[in-house]
Amino acid sequence: MVQLEHLTAPVDAVVARMRALDTALPARDGVAVFNRVYLAVTEEIDRRLDTGGFPDPRAATALDVRFAERYLAAVDAAAADRRPPACWRPLFQLRRHPGVRPLQFALAGINAHIGHDLALAVVDACRTLGCEPTDLEDEFDRVGDLLVSLEERIREDLMPGPDLLQIADPLTHLLGSWSLERARDATWAAARALWALRHCGDVAEEFTERLDAAVGFAGRMLLTPLPD
């Protein structure tokens, strides 16, 4: 039990940070909307770590904590009036826009976190554990499967009523333009590429910057203000 508590303590710490944000932020704030989604994911990962739901809890913990730390670093940067990564800037810039719906905030945050942060978190975890990305593929897939299942619930919880979901509704168009499954597949490819480039200096840096910018561009499209 002592060993399990030692493993899950870092996850408990990031859960505590997210719960504090949930308490501090206004409910309609775009960052708060995403934070509630991500808090549910991290609490579920914590529960599965406690119950033996991961074959390699040490690897799962390292990946989960490095993943969460990148989101929390973006929150801290914005709070200190520093520029967060490009993938997060649309959410922080439009977090209070009255024309952006809660589901858009949630998906934009997921886009930033999966499309950019998860790839870098895989590399971070490999460095921490002294392993290769292929050694983390099982944990990556399990976390991804959890996110996909929760995405369905998110859409149900935050979707406007069926009377608003006309085929011509812009929200319907936006929802169909982004897929977590496709984003997850692209992220795994990006993580492997970043690991292969880790000793290539400027090339790795440029790849990371372009990934960040591309994910930020997609996030800005997801946050297009819509008419009521």
Side-chain angles (χ1 to χ4, degrees):
M1 177 63 72
V2 173
Q3 185 178 11
L4 181 60
E5 289 176 352
H6 175 71
L7 283 172
T8 59
V11 182
D12 293 339
V14 296
V15 167
R17 279 285 320 271
M18 289 180 216
R19 286 176 177 164
L21 285 170
D22 186 50
T23 300
L25 294 173
R28 183 61 176 76
D29 181 285
V31 177
V33 173
F34 168 72
N35 188 77
R36 286 193 295 274
V37 169
Y38 191 34
L39 175 58
V41 171
T42 309
E43 287 175 334
E44 179 61 20
I45 291 173
D46 198 15
R47 187 190 69 77
R48 294 187 186 190
L49 283 167
D50 286 340
T51 57
F54 288 95
D56 187 343
R58 180 168 174 262
T61 298
L63 180 59
D64 184 46
V65 171
R66 296 295 174 269
F67 190 29
E69 285 173 345
R70 288 194 169 272
Y71 158 61
L72 294 172
V75 171
D76 290 342
D81 290 327
R82 292 182 281 108
R83 283 165 66 84
C87 62
W88 285 107
R89 283 175 212 155
L91 181 60
F92 286 105
Q93 290 167 351
L94 297 170
R95 62 194 294 178
R96 299 180 183 87
H97 198 296
V100 180
R101 302 179 192 177
L103 182 56
Q104 292 175 261
F105 288 132
L107 293 183
I110 293 170
N111 168 71
H113 205 37
I114 298 295
H116 173 267
D117 292 357
L118 184 53
L120 273 62
V122 170
V123 174
D124 292 342
C126 285
R127 287 178 171 144
T128 298
L129 298 168
C131 68
E132 299 282 324
T134 51
D135 298 320
L136 295 179
E137 189 167 6
D138 216 21
E139 285 68 35
F140 180 94
D141 286 341
R142 286 173 184 264
V143 170
D145 290 343
L146 174 59
L147 286 162
V148 169
S149 67
L150 283 175
E151 185 200 17
E152 296 174 1
R153 196 178 79 193
I154 293 160
R155 289 176 183 259
E156 290 175 1
D157 290 348
L158 298 179
M159 189 80 76
D163 55 316
L164 296 179
L165 286 179
Q166 304 300 322
I167 192 65
D169 181 35
L171 182 60
T172 305
H173 174 74
L174 282 175
L175 292 177
S177 68
W178 187 84
S179 161
L180 194 153
E181 287 273 18
R182 291 196 299 270
R184 186 177 69 166
D185 290 345
T187 293
W188 182 244
R192 294 180 63 193
L194 282 167
W195 185 250
L197 293 170
R198 67 191 183 280
H199 300 308
C200 294
D202 291 346
V203 177
E205 184 177 348
E206 181 178 355
F207 184 94
T208 303
E209 289 176 356
R210 292 185 181 275
L211 175 66
D212 189 20
V215 174
F217 178 77
R220 182 63 185 83
M221 295 302 100
L222 285 169
L223 291 172
T224 300
L226 303 173
D228 292 331

